[in-house]
Amino acid sequence: MDDLDEHLLGRLRDNARAPVAELARGLGLSRTTVQSRLAKLERNGVIAGYAVKLAPAYEASRVHAFIMLTVEPKQAAAVTMALKRMSGVRRLQSVSGPFDMIATVEAGSVGDIDALIDEIGALKGVERTNSSIVLSTKFDRA
């Protein structure tokens, strides 16, 4: 990967549905060059797929939270599988520091988040949770 590939990925993050011709114009490259680079990035597994980016108004109507988890020894795999089955859990990351994992969650209301936190806390292998509700998103490069 070079700087051009990084710029191409940045433009795709802004609009994954941008036509190749538009990407090429924005990068000052030929359409063929951009198509070739996209194919190479896909082939090499850098681009795994294209996703839907939700409207800011819809995202703002959702309640988002981070749930930090402390997991019993040797229970990480079981907890991970249980969390993967919960539709409100959008991302799970293993971290260093005082917690073992951080789950990024979303729901339609604070009550729904509260229920989700209770459900996560009740999982076999979860020792404790510590949660923070997101008040606002300043920017998102996802």
Side-chain angles (χ1 to χ4, degrees):
M1 284 221 356
D2 59 16
D3 285 345
L4 210 47
D5 289 332
E6 292 290 345
H7 283 98
L8 178 56
L9 291 175
R11 289 185 176 271
L12 287 172
R13 281 187 190 104
D14 290 340
N15 181 5
R17 293 185 61 173
V20 174
E22 181 182 317
L23 294 169
R25 273 192 305 278
L27 294 169
L29 300 171
S30 72
R31 188 173 184 269
T32 306
T33 300
V34 171
Q35 281 179 313
S36 173
R37 283 181 175 264
L38 284 172
K40 181 180 174 191
L41 291 168
E42 290 170 357
R43 209 173 33 255
N44 291 340
V46 175
I47 296 175
Y50 299 87
V52 172
K53 185 173 181 178
L54 301 173
Y58 176 78
E59 282 291 329
S61 74
R62 309 286 291 164
V63 179
H64 302 263
F66 296 103
I67 304 174
M68 285 65 73
L69 295 92
T70 302
V71 178
E72 293 173 8
K74 300 186 187 218
Q75 294 296 313
V79 170
T80 297
M81 291 308 296
L83 292 171
K84 196 172 191 176
R85 289 190 292 271
M86 295 180 184
S87 63
V89 178
R90 308 305 303 155
R91 173 181 285 172
L92 180 64
Q93 296 170 300
S94 176
V95 296
S96 63
F99 301 101
D100 300 309
M101 298 176 176
I102 296 178
T104 304
V105 301
E106 75 171 47
S109 69
V110 172
D112 292 340
I113 287 285
D114 188 34
L116 184 57
I117 291 168
D118 287 345
E119 186 179 356
I120 291 170
L123 289 174
K124 182 179 189 288
V126 173
E127 287 183 351
R128 69 183 173 92
T129 63
N130 185 322
S131 306
S132 294
I133 295 195
V134 176
L135 300 176
S136 69
T137 299
K138 301 304 182 191
F139 69 88
D140 184 359
R141 287 196 174 115

